[in-house]
């Protein structure tokens, strides 16, 4: 079983997406574009969800391999 | 000293979650989930090593590997259900978490049926 590395880049990526989207959201709200801000939030959540889903699938595969489930 | 990067990683992730939760609680939730999964995936390399060692020891001792396999599967199910339940509880869905735990207990019980039957049979064998 190969040692896995601690994937810090993923956390920075997600945190960056979160900060980026909240800043863009503030800008869009200031410009009076409420619908676009809503859509942006949705897209950000979906992107982060895709990242996290890959990670969780990785984890489940790991568990399946280790415990012969 | 593999604990140092894990601790540093956890603290950094917690600070990020704290910052992002103010504006985007949903992304903060996903971030904390991702941080937990990354740490767990990192530690699972060691867990695999331990499982291998225990399996080797059991084979050397001439133990029945069927029961060992059942044991490992039970541990896996317990771990998975605990993981899912904690995620649900973090998201504020305590009732779904309870159901996941219940399902895990039930599935573990079903998996353990061969062991229970073996124990009962050996007890019956001791009886005159």
């Amino acid at each position: 079983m190969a040692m896995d590395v601690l994937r810090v880049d993923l956390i920075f990526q997600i945190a960056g997406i979160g900060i980026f989207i909240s800043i863009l959201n503030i800008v869009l709200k200031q410009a009076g574009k409420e619908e676009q801000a809503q859509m942006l939030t949705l897209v950000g959540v979906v992107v982060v969800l895709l990242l996290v889903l890959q990670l969780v699938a990785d984890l489940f595969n790991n568990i399946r391999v280790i415990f012969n489930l | 000293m593999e604990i140092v990067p894990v601790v540093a990683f956890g603290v950094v992730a917690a600070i990020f979650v704290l910052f992002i939760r103010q504006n985007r609680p949903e992304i903060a939730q996903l971030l904390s989930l991702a941080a937990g999964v990354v740490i767990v995936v990192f530690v699972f390399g060691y867990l695999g090593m331990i499982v291998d060692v225990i399996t080797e020891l059991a084979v050397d001792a001439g133990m029945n590997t069927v029961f060992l396999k059942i044991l490992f599967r039970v541990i896996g199910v317990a771990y998975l259900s605990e993981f899912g339940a904690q995620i649900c509880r973090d998201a504020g869905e305590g009732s779904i978490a309870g159901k996941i735990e219940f399902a895990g207990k039930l599935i573990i019980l079903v998996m353990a049926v061969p062991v229970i039957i073996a124990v009962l049979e050996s007890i019956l064998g001791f009886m005159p």
Side-chain angles (χ1 to χ4, degrees):
Chain A
M1 189 77 205
M3 285 285 140
D4 261 306
V5 286
L6 207 54
R7 281 151 76 179
V8 188
D9 53 328
L10 211 99
I11 293 302
F12 281 122
Q13 210 175 349
I14 295 174
I17 291 173
I19 294 169
F20 185 65
I21 281 176
S22 41
I23 290 170
L24 275 187
N25 215 352
I26 293 167
V27 171
L28 279 177
K29 268 204 182 126
Q30 289 288 330
K33 295 189 162 66
E34 298 283 336
E35 297 91 18
Q36 270 99 330
Q38 204 70 37
M39 280 291 151
L40 184 75
T41 305
L42 193 63
V43 169
V45 170
V46 168
V47 169
V48 175
L49 193 63
L50 281 177
L51 286 174
V52 176
L53 269 184
Q54 282 173 0
L55 204 63
V56 172
D58 220 29
L59 170 75
F60 281 14
N61 268 332
N62 255 340
I63 292 179
R64 202 167 296 158
V65 168
I66 289 176
F67 294 110
N68 298 314
L69 279 178
Chain B
M1 294 295 278
E2 294 290 344
I3 188 66
V4 175
V6 173
V7 172
F9 178 84
V11 171
V12 169
I15 291 169
F16 271 133
V17 169
L18 213 62
F19 269 121
I20 295 175
R21 182 157 285 155
Q22 293 171 354
N23 292 319
R24 306 253 70 86
E26 63 278 3
I27 290 182
Q29 186 68 43
L30 286 172
L31 180 60
S32 75
L33 167 60
V37 174
V38 165
I39 291 174
V40 166
V41 166
F42 175 67
V43 175
F44 260 24
Y46 298 97
L47 195 62
M49 270 174 18
I50 292 169
V51 166
D52 285 348
V53 168
I54 291 175
T55 311
E56 267 176 36
L57 282 177
V59 169
D60 284 349
M63 203 179 138
N64 196 347
T65 42
V66 176
F67 293 138
L68 200 70
K69 246 178 214 166
I70 291 173
L71 182 71
F72 283 141
R73 294 175 78 162
V74 165
I75 294 173
V77 170
Y79 190 79
L80 267 185
S81 59
E82 181 64 31
F83 181 78
Q86 273 178 0
I87 290 170
C88 290
R89 206 165 281 135
D90 275 354
E93 294 294 335
S95 58
I96 298 178
K99 267 69 169 185
I100 291 176
E101 277 172 351
F102 176 62
K105 281 169 192 162
L106 213 64
I107 289 169
I108 286 173
L109 204 60
V110 170
M111 277 178 168
V113 162
V115 181
I116 296 168
I117 288 174
V119 168
L120 285 179
E121 275 177 353
S122 62
I123 289 174
L124 284 180
F126 286 141
M127 281 183 180

